[in-house]
Amino acid sequence: MVHATQEQAGARGRTVEGASGRKGRRSSAEEPLGSCSANSNISMNLRTAFLAKELGLFVIDHELAHLTHHTHSADIYRLLEERQPEAKRLNSELKRAGATVPSWLS
């Protein structure tokens, strides 16, 4: 995963890739596309680079929402829908998007 702090992620996280200068590592297909630690460090899985831009930005938005709501409660999904009116559709597409990731990354 490539790591970035909230400040490095920018308003929507468009500069996440390599922004922190930390080493990235290839992740297996079983690992999440992104995560947000208790210390507000956002990590993005390399596989997000192979998603459609709209889906990659949705993953970033999701992790940024975790800075406000740390669990997958209804609150985080309400916040995502406020930020991205197409959140439900994007979440559904994201679940099917695994086929777009090259097999050599798995």
Side-chain angles (χ1 to χ4, degrees):
M1 289 196 180
V2 178
H3 304 278
T5 64
Q6 181 180 3
E7 296 82 334
Q8 292 162 328
R12 279 184 61 132
R14 287 187 172 87
T15 60
V16 167
E17 59 276 356
S20 70
R22 294 185 196 170
K23 292 182 180 178
R25 66 177 172 83
R26 193 176 74 197
S27 300
S28 71
E30 292 78 35
E31 290 184 4
L33 291 172
S35 65
C36 181
S37 74
N39 294 330
S40 298
N41 287 316
I42 293 175
S43 299
M44 301 303 298
N45 189 303
L46 178 61
R47 293 181 302 132
T48 58
F50 293 91
L51 296 173
K53 181 179 179 180
E54 175 180 53
L55 294 178
L57 290 174
F58 178 69
V59 173
I60 293 168
D61 280 343
H62 179 100
E63 298 313 324
L64 290 172
H66 278 302
L67 296 172
T68 303
H69 301 289
H70 301 287
T71 64
H72 286 109
S73 65
D75 292 333
I76 194 171
Y77 293 105
R78 270 194 296 276
L79 179 58
L80 279 169
E81 288 179 16
E82 287 173 17
R83 291 182 180 179
Q84 175 51 262
E86 296 289 316
K88 287 182 182 178
R89 177 186 62 81
L90 293 169
N91 198 45
S92 294
E93 285 184 31
L94 192 57
K95 291 177 182 178
R96 295 186 301 271
T100 65
V101 176
S103 60
W104 54 265
L105 273 176
S106 304

